[in-house]
Amino acid sequence: MNIAEKVAYIKGLAEGLGLEDATKEGKILAAIIDVLDDIAAEIDDVEDVVADMADQVDAVDEDLASIEELIYDDEDDCDCCDCDCDDDDVYEVECPSCNDVIYLDADMLAEGGIACPNCGENLEFDFDCCDDDCCCGCEDHED
């Protein structure tokens, strides 16, 4: 039983009791029942709007997923091998001079070195590409 049905039931009970609108109690109960009826109608309207909005959000979400698949589908592949590497990985490096933690991505590591943003110390990165693992860090490369 939904709210509107419950209010209709209460309204039927009040009519069945034969409450007089002329008495103080009858006036209050009639006013309360009218307010409950209005509230039930408003709630039904809000539920309809929310259901419509949920459908629209689901449609937008599906469209966005399709667009993301088109845009980002090939970006997870690196060019160094036939594996599916994730170029979004972030690596943490600690500067040996100032002990500052620096966060680097695969492109920054591929450059071979950077200056520490805190102290200016030259940090070098030496990777033997495709010896045991792929140069991007994955283990899926083909020899």
Side-chain angles (χ1 to χ4, degrees):
M1 191 183 287
N2 66 25
I3 294 174
E5 292 169 341
K6 289 179 182 180
V7 171
Y9 176 74
I10 292 171
K11 192 180 249 184
L13 285 177
E15 289 173 3
L17 290 174
L19 294 175
E20 296 288 328
D21 288 345
T23 65
K24 293 178 188 177
E25 294 84 7
K27 287 181 184 179
I28 290 175
L29 288 175
I32 290 172
I33 292 171
D34 287 342
V35 169
L36 288 175
D37 197 27
D38 292 343
I39 291 171
E42 288 289 328
I43 289 174
D44 283 342
D45 292 344
V46 169
E47 287 176 344
D48 291 342
V49 169
V50 167
D52 290 343
M53 289 179 72
D55 291 342
Q56 290 176 352
V57 167
D58 289 342
V60 168
D61 187 44
E62 290 173 9
D63 291 344
L64 182 60
S66 298
I67 291 170
E68 286 176 342
E69 186 175 322
L70 288 172
I71 292 173
Y72 298 119
D73 189 39
D74 294 334
E75 287 189 10
D76 289 342
D77 299 337
C78 67
D79 294 332
C80 63
C81 58
D82 293 331
C83 62
D84 291 331
C85 304
D86 188 7
D87 290 336
D88 294 336
D89 287 341
V90 176
Y91 303 94
E92 187 176 289
V93 177
E94 183 175 335
C95 176
S97 297
C98 66
N99 297 324
D100 189 32
V101 176
I102 305 163
Y103 298 96
L104 309 169
D105 63 12
D107 292 335
M108 295 169 80
L109 287 175
E111 291 177 13
I114 64 165
C116 175
N118 189 39
C119 68
E121 177 75 21
N122 188 28
L123 305 175
E124 294 182 9
F125 311 111
D126 184 24
F127 295 101
D128 293 331
C129 187
C130 294
D131 284 346
D132 293 326
D133 295 334
C134 177
C135 54
C136 59
C138 71
E139 297 178 11
D140 249 354
H141 75 288
E142 294 179 11
D143 293 330

